[in-house]
């Protein structure tokens, strides 16, 4: 594939078609699962940047999703509903919605990035397992802090309906748009880690001391990875909040963080394709196994253990597939191959 | 709002609650810290072993008829049975989920640990039912002793005595026996210990047996003082105990106990004086505050990096 951009444009067109067409083909249950897969993929790929590419071990990713979800939801409920109604008065409604919805996604991402900066600077002084437990701690502190804010519903959860503008529909579950956001985010992360500058992430992962000795500002690189990763976790949280139309802090407890770590390790540390694959399979698995009733989660956990024992390096190891593989190849190697 | 004098009056009583809770966290934390010492693995399934301990106690007490007749003997038999079952479970978990991954890096066993944890929680929900059960009163609750206004119940006394005994036993095993010496050697440098003829795999298995038995004891002691038990009861105490282990410096045995005590006391004071909604967050706040000043915990030693 010489020009991935053409493929991308085609993919975007396809996604818009899907957005309009899928609700006529699939029932809402499948649409919900597909949406959750999209969110899981984005969360997993963003964590891959820290855990897989920079070699730091963060297990508090759900905290940043929570920040993104709640900030974007609060923005939509308290301000966005008014904007949406005002836009809808001058523009056709679908266009007004398409123009509005990137706003909470970016806002959620930025808020999470800020949280990532605040957590990353002190936490990244720690190493290995101490870093892991500190990120877990920060994740839980974020969750419990949100739980105690009454403006976003506290323990009742937070519904995306505005009291001032009850007519404004703040849910956004167009599958094509969601997958477009996920695809764009994955592309940005892939371009970042497989760029020349992105070599710094992998240098830190392979050998921090050696990286430092050749002039890589390791602390800076680690904080950068943390901030970028948190941004996309925030976008994933915002997508989650706006597609479900309701958020509760229970969705962002440490079990959620563990789940994202499982996606990353099971997929293969340092493989974006692996994170996508694992997030997709493991989000779909409990639904596929639903026929087994109460035994399904037992089987799910056994599958997890057996897969890990059979493939300790993860499903994909460090390899990439398809367009990601093309991105992962250094330009010089590409020339050599051609 | 309580005035200062009232605050000071209830302080000793709060401290007793805090120490009791802290001892239980400490017992669970010992398992984390010992396993980490020999395997450098965070055994996320450990909290669920503690749950199995409490559940086993529930069924043993009912099966042997101790449930309706509170007695010290009943408690002791239940405790020993539950510790034995969990010791076996711990050995099984090590053999099935961790040993095949020896030498496969540190993250793969972490994921199987999460898998085992999910397995125990979900199997627990199928076998025991998702509804809470009530742990049978193996002891009749009464006042054990009183110092001034401070009252200590017999259950608190049993918790303290049992924990202290178990700790003394562990100290003896670790410091005075062949197995303990082997364990310390593996923890210090596993490849070198293997070269010296220490059977590393057997030592690791033994560590899991010890840690899981201690977690079972914690499960029984919690059942005594706080009788509502359910298949997901291990999640939060498991994480807290892990925090306690890290707080004390993971891999350091007395550190785990101290970490547990610090956590138990701080948590009790916060829920007693401030607000119980922040109870679960405070453990992590303390942890992060300590890690920022001592990045390897209270008693952990800094590893020098070799180039």
């Amino acid at each position: 594939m010489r020009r991935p951009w053409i493929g991308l444009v085609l993919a975007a067109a396809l996604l818009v078609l899907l957005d309009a067409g899928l609700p006529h083909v699939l029932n809402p249950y499948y649409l919900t699962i597909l949406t959750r897969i999209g969110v899981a993929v984005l969360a997993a790929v963003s964590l891959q940047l820290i855990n897989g590419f920079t070699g730091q071990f963060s297990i508090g990713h759900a905290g940043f999703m929570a920040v993104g979800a709640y900030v974007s939801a609060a923005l939509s409920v308290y301000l966005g509903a008014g904007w949406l109604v005002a836009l809808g008065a001058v523009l056709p409604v679908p266009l007004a919605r398409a123009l509005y919805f990137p706003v909470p996604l970016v806002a959620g991402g930025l808020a999470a990035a800020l949280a990532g900066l605040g957590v990353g600077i002190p936490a990244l002084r720690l190493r290995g397992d101490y870093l892991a437990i500190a990120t877990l701690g920060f994740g839980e502190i974020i969750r419990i802090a949100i739980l105690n804010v009454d403006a976003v519903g506290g323990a009742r959860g937070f519904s995306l309906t505005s009291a001032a503008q009850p007519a404004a529909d703040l849910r956004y579950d167009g599958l094509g748009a969601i997958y477009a956001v996920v695809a764009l985010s994955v592309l940005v992360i892939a371009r970042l880690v497989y760029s020349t500058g992105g070599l710094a992430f992998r240098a830190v992962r392979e050998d921090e001391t050696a990286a430092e000795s050749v002039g890589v500002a390791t602390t800076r690189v680690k904080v950068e990875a943390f901030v970028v990763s948190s941004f996309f976790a925030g976008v994933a949280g915002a997508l989650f909040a706006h597609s479900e139309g309701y958020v509760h802090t229970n969705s962002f407890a440490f079990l959620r963080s563990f789940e994202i770590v499982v996606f990353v390790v099971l997929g293969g540390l340092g493989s974006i394709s692996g994170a996508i694959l694992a997030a997709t399979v493991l989000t779909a698995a409990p639904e596929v196994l639903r026929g087994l009733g109460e035994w399904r989660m037992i089987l799910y956990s056994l599958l997890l253990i057996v897969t890990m024992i059979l493939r300790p390096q993860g499903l994909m190891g460090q390899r990439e597939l398809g367009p990601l593989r093309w991105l992962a190849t250094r330009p010089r190697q590409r020339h050599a191959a051609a | 709002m309580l005035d200062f004098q009232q605050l000071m009056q209830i302080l000793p009583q709060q401290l007793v609650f805090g120490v009791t809770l802290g001892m239980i966290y400490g017992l669970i934390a010992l398992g984390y810290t010992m396993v980490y010492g020999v395997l450098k693995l965070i055994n996320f399934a450990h909290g669920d072993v503690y749950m199995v301990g409490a559940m086993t106690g529930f069924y043993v007490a009912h099966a042997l008829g101790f449930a309706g007749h509170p007695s010290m003997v009943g408690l002791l038999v239940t405790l020993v049975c539950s510790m034995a079952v969990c010791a076996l479970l711990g050995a099984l978990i090590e053999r099935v989920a961790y040993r095949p991954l020896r030498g496969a890096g540190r993250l793969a066993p972490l994921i199987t640990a999460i898998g085992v944890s999910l397995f125990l929680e979900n199997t627990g929900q199928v076998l025991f039912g998702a509804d809470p059960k009530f742990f049978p009163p193996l002891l009749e609750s009464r006042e054990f002793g009183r110092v001034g206004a401070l009252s200590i119940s017999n259950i608190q006394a049993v918790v303290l005595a049992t924990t202290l005994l178990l700790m003394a036993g562990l100290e003896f095993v670790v410091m005075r026996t062949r197995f303990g010496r082997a364990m310390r050697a593996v923890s210090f440098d596993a490849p070198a210990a293997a070269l010296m003829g220490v059977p590393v795999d057997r030592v690791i298995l033994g560590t899991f047996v010890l840690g899981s038995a201690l977690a079972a004891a914690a499960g029984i002691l919690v059942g005594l003082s706080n009788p509502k038990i359910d298949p997901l009861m291990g999640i939060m105490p498991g994480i807290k105990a892990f925090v306690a282990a890290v707080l004390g410096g993971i891999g350091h045995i007395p550190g785990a106990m101290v970490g547990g005590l610090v956590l138990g006391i701080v948590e009790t004071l916060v829920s007693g004086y401030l607000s119980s909604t922040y109870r679960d967050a405070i453990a992590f706040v303390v942890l992060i505050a300590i890690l920022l000043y001592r990045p390897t915990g209270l008693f952990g030693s800094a590893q020098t990096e070799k180039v």
Side-chain angles (χ1 to χ4, degrees):
Chain A
M1 206 156 79
R2 280 274 175 80
R3 292 171 198 269
W5 308 110
I6 295 174
L8 265 175
V9 171
L10 284 177
L14 186 68
L15 287 171
V16 172
L17 275 179
L18 287 179
D19 211 353
L22 268 181
H24 301 292
V25 186
L26 289 173
N27 69 34
Y29 170 66
Y30 290 109
L31 289 177
T32 307
I33 296 169
L34 287 173
T35 308
R36 291 194 179 160
I37 289 177
V39 172
V41 163
L42 183 48
V45 172
S46 65
L47 187 66
Q48 188 70 279
L49 175 58
I50 303 179
N51 287 19
F53 288 99
T54 318
Q56 305 304 301
F57 194 47
S58 165
I59 51 174
H61 217 48
F64 301 110
M65 282 182 78
V67 172
Y70 272 89
V71 168
S72 68
L75 177 78
S76 281
V77 168
Y78 290 112
L79 296 171
W83 300 345
L84 197 58
V85 169
L87 268 177
V90 289
L91 294 172
V93 174
L95 186 60
R97 285 168 64 77
L99 281 177
Y100 170 66
F101 277 104
V103 176
L105 297 188
V106 172
L110 288 177
L114 204 65
L117 187 69
V119 171
I121 288 176
L124 289 166
R125 293 173 47 204
L126 303 170
R127 279 163 193 253
D129 298 313
Y130 290 96
L131 172 65
I133 185 74
T135 54
L136 173 72
F138 275 117
E140 281 294 287
I141 291 172
I142 291 173
R143 181 180 71 85
I144 293 165
I146 295 174
L147 191 62
N148 284 287
V149 177
D150 211 45
V152 290
R156 297 185 307 278
F158 190 38
S159 180
L160 274 81
T161 44
S162 162
Q165 303 284 357
D169 179 13
L170 295 170
R171 264 191 78 183
Y172 200 81
D173 49 6
L175 206 60
I178 289 171
Y179 272 75
V181 171
V182 173
L184 184 68
S185 309
V186 170
L187 180 73
V188 170
I189 294 172
R191 289 294 284 168
L192 179 67
V193 295
Y194 291 126
S195 65
T196 308
L199 281 171
F201 296 122
R202 279 174 285 162
V204 171
R205 173 186 72 193
E206 294 303 326
D207 190 332
E208 214 175 314
T209 319
E212 204 162 7
S213 72
V214 295
V216 176
T218 53
T219 307
R220 200 194 149 88
V221 166
K222 285 194 271 183
V223 173
E224 270 172 19
F226 218 78
V227 170
V228 174
S229 169
S230 304
F231 175 85
F232 287 108
V235 174
L239 273 182
F240 179 73
H242 284 82
S243 60
E244 302 272 322
Y246 171 82
V247 273
H248 193 282
T249 47
N250 283 354
S251 309
F252 306 106
F254 59 83
L255 290 176
R256 181 60 172 252
S257 295
F258 285 6
E259 194 183 43
I260 308 172
V261 172
V262 169
F263 295 157
V264 166
V265 181
L266 193 79
L269 280 166
S271 165
I272 292 178
S273 322
I276 296 173
L277 181 68
T280 307
V281 171
L282 289 181
T283 309
E287 305 301 332
V288 175
L289 299 174
R290 201 163 275 281
L292 297 171
E294 57 187 354
W295 295 92
R296 81 190 163 112
M297 286 312 287
I298 299 181
L299 192 67
Y300 173 88
S301 54
L302 286 176
L303 275 177
L304 194 62
I305 299 170
V306 171
T307 317
M308 217 59 241
I309 289 176
L310 294 180
R311 281 197 69 84
Q313 74 277 44
L315 293 171
M316 297 291 301
Q318 289 191 5
R319 279 168 304 146
E320 298 285 8
L321 288 177
L324 285 165
R325 184 165 184 174
W326 188 85
L327 282 175
T329 323
R330 309 279 314 136
R332 198 183 297 164
Q333 291 167 316
R334 276 182 223 149
H335 285 302
Chain B
M1 191 63 208
L2 300 167
D3 62 38
F4 182 72
Q5 207 172 1
Q6 280 172 311
L7 286 182
M8 292 318 287
Q9 262 172 6
I10 60 170
L11 181 65
Q13 197 66 59
Q14 293 284 353
L15 283 178
V16 173
F17 288 132
V19 169
T20 318
L21 180 66
M23 290 295 228
I24 288 170
Y25 282 158
L27 270 185
I28 311 174
L30 285 172
Y32 276 109
T33 226
M34 289 193 300
V35 164
Y36 189 88
V38 294
L39 212 51
K40 301 290 173 281
L41 164 76
I42 305 171
N43 178 16
F44 277 120
H46 194 60
D48 301 298
V49 173
Y50 147 89
M51 174 275 290
V52 174
M55 286 291 172
T56 310
F58 174 89
Y59 286 106
V60 167
H62 277 288
L64 300 182
F66 299 129
H69 314 279
S71 71
M72 253 344 213
V73 180
L75 173 62
L76 201 67
V77 173
T78 311
L79 186 72
V80 170
C81 287
S82 171
M83 285 173 78
V85 168
C86 282
L88 268 177
L89 177 68
L92 191 71
I93 292 174
E94 199 282 320
R95 196 66 193 75
V96 173
Y98 303 142
R99 192 176 293 183
L101 286 170
R102 208 84 90 227
R106 294 191 39 207
L107 286 176
L110 198 72
I111 302 303
T112 53
I114 294 175
V116 171
S117 166
L118 285 176
F119 177 76
L120 291 178
E121 282 157 21
N122 291 302
T123 311
Q125 280 179 321
V126 171
L127 286 182
F128 312 136
D131 297 330
K133 294 183 185 312
F134 287 88
F135 198 82
L138 292 174
L139 282 180
E140 254 173 294
S141 179
R142 56 184 165 77
E143 190 169 79
F144 176 75
R146 174 175 271 286
V147 185
L150 181 68
S151 157
I152 296 175
S153 74
N154 61 334
I155 289 177
Q156 282 163 338
V158 165
V159 170
L160 295 183
T162 315
T163 335
L164 288 174
L165 267 175
L166 287 172
M167 275 199 65
L170 182 71
E171 179 74 11
F172 177 79
V173 169
V174 173
M175 302 310 286
R176 298 290 161 88
T177 62
R178 258 176 90 82
F179 170 74
R181 192 190 295 169
M183 202 174 123
R184 280 179 289 142
V186 171
S187 173
F188 190 72
D189 188 340
L195 291 176
M196 297 297 130
V198 175
V200 174
D201 275 341
R202 236 192 296 163
V203 169
I204 292 173
L205 198 69
T207 310
F208 271 86
V209 164
L210 271 182
S212 304
L214 292 178
I220 299 291
L221 296 178
V222 161
L224 281 183
S225 43
N226 181 13
K228 224 169 95 174
I229 59 173
D230 67 83
L232 301 182
M233 67 184 278
I235 300 178
M236 223 37 199
I239 285 286
K240 300 271 184 62
F242 173 47
V243 167
V246 176
L247 205 66
I250 195 155
H252 193 272
I253 289 178
M257 226 43 225
V258 174
L261 279 177
V262 169
L263 213 58
I265 291 170
V266 171
E267 233 184 79
T268 313
L269 292 185
V270 166
S271 47
Y273 288 131
L274 295 171
S275 149
S276 59
T277 47
Y278 287 103
R279 204 186 110 136
D280 288 336
I282 197 67
F284 297 105
V285 173
V286 172
L287 171 83
I288 288 165
I290 290 184
L291 283 187
L292 290 184
Y293 286 97
R294 290 194 57 89
T296 52
L298 289 174
F299 300 98
S301 52
Q303 297 271 318
T304 29
E305 271 178 65
K306 296 184 197 102
V307 181

